[in-house]
Amino acid sequence: PGYLPAQVVATLKVGHETGSMNMTLPMAQENLREKNQNTRGEWVYLIAVMLIAVMIVGIIMTYVVPKFKMIYADMLEPGEVLPEFTMLVLTISDTIKNNAAALFIPLFLLLGVWFYSKKKGWLDTFWLSIPWRRKRLQRDYSRVLALLLDSGVPEEKAVQLAAQGTSNRVLKKRAVIVIAGLQSGWGLTEAIKLMDDSREFQWRLTNALQTEGNFVDALSGWHQSLSARADRQHQTFSVLMETTALLLLGMVVGSIMVGMFLPLIRLME
């Protein structure tokens, strides 16, 4: 338990139930490789950047800034005041220094909400809102569905097992609606729109149904397209995240330095 991601386990279970392990195992391997290369690396990088940023800003605000405050207290003549921006930085420094322990409470609350949401499955909706995660789930669902249909699994069972292979509660709920549509007499192409309304997916699925051909071959181009677009979006986000993190850190540290040296600049002027 916990050794493999839930989606990888679900994909392997589908292969075990249908006797198609030789086909589902490569899918599970690809999912595991994507999670190891992308998700974990992103989180490790983000956590490392945040820890370094908090440490740098914390040292500056609790050790360096108070030294400047003592220097300015000796320099000011009666009736003289520091610039407003400098006073703001000093106020923030005092707040952090005097309430350092209390600042960890929101962090623990966020962690608690995260783990509770993960346990309840609320994060499944969140994952679908991320463009590259949604495309990869679309691809994974479509691949397993095509495999099951080629294996002769009934459409209703194929829709259900394909949704189970994604390990996403939102897609599982949609699968129930699709199955209800099939039971009411809808065709697969019409009912599957309730799961994935992508036009290219509908077009390729319709062609496969009309020719009674191989679903895996008919949808392979769609799967490759989804993978390529998901990778491109993911890489773009990673670059933007790195640039934004460095920019914010530079702005914070730069603002502190400007606030501390502003009185000296005015004095020299």
Side-chain angles (χ1 to χ4, degrees):
Y3 180 66
L4 293 173
Q7 185 178 355
V8 175
V9 176
T11 303
L12 295 176
K13 285 182 178 180
V14 170
H16 182 264
E17 291 183 17
T18 59
S20 304
M21 287 296 293
N22 60 326
M23 297 293 291
T24 56
L25 188 59
M27 300 179 190
Q29 290 174 330
E30 184 176 355
N31 290 336
L32 183 60
R33 184 166 56 251
E34 287 177 347
K35 290 181 181 295
N36 288 338
Q37 291 178 351
N38 298 322
T39 306
R40 292 184 180 179
E42 277 184 6
W43 282 111
V44 170
Y45 176 78
L46 181 60
I47 293 174
V49 170
M50 292 300 296
L51 288 177
I52 293 174
V54 170
M55 183 174 62
I56 291 175
V57 175
I59 292 175
I60 293 176
M61 297 298 282
T62 60
Y63 182 76
V64 178
V65 173
K67 300 297 182 182
F68 277 91
K69 184 178 181 180
M70 295 172 58
I71 294 174
Y72 292 144
D74 294 335
M75 290 176 55
L76 290 177
E77 297 292 338
E80 291 182 340
V81 295
L82 294 172
E84 294 183 359
F85 189 70
T86 302
M87 293 298 298
L88 176 62
V89 175
L90 293 176
T91 302
I92 296 174
S93 173
D94 291 337
T95 302
I96 294 176
K97 187 175 181 180
N98 298 329
N99 302 279
L103 295 177
F104 287 96
I105 295 178
L107 176 61
F108 289 125
L109 289 176
L110 287 176
L111 289 175
V113 171
W114 175 268
F115 286 114
Y116 183 77
S117 300
K118 186 175 182 180
K119 182 179 179 181
K120 291 292 185 179
W122 297 340
L123 291 179
D124 290 344
T125 304
F126 172 72
W127 296 136
L128 282 176
S129 66
I130 301 176
W132 60 89
R133 289 295 298 268
R134 182 171 61 253
K135 285 181 173 58
R136 285 172 179 161
L137 285 173
Q138 285 178 306
R139 176 204 62 191
D140 296 339
Y141 177 83
S142 178
R143 284 196 304 188
V144 176
L145 179 65
L147 172 63
L148 294 173
L149 292 174
D150 283 343
S151 301
V153 178
E155 293 180 352
E156 296 179 13
K157 185 68 173 179
V159 170
Q160 179 185 6
L161 290 176
Q164 292 178 359
T166 63
S167 187
N168 186 282
R169 297 190 183 188
V170 177
L171 295 183
K172 291 179 182 179
K173 292 180 180 178
R174 291 182 183 177
V176 174
I177 302 176
V178 173
I179 293 173
L182 292 173
Q183 292 175 347
S184 63
W186 291 7
L188 179 60
T189 306
E190 190 68 24
I192 207 68
K193 291 181 180 180
L194 301 173
M195 175 68 70
D196 187 348
D197 59 354
S198 303
R199 293 184 178 180
E200 184 176 351
F201 176 58
Q202 302 294 326
W203 175 73
R204 291 179 180 271
L205 187 61
T206 300
N207 289 339
L209 287 170
Q210 290 177 349
T211 58
E212 297 183 358
N214 192 317
F215 285 92
V216 173
D217 292 339
L219 295 172
S220 61
W222 169 241
H223 302 155
Q224 294 174 4
S225 175
L226 287 174
S227 295
R229 284 187 284 174
D231 291 341
R232 184 168 61 251
Q233 290 176 341
H234 198 173
Q235 292 173 2
T236 302
F237 172 78
S238 298
V239 173
L240 290 176
M241 181 183 67
E242 178 182 357
T243 304
T244 302
L246 295 176
L247 180 62
L248 290 176
L249 179 59
M251 290 177 60
V252 170
V253 176
S255 298
I256 296 173
M257 293 298 98
V258 169
M260 290 299 94
F261 285 100
L262 189 58
L264 297 178
I265 295 174
R266 290 192 176 181
L267 180 62
M268 287 185 292
E269 291 176 350

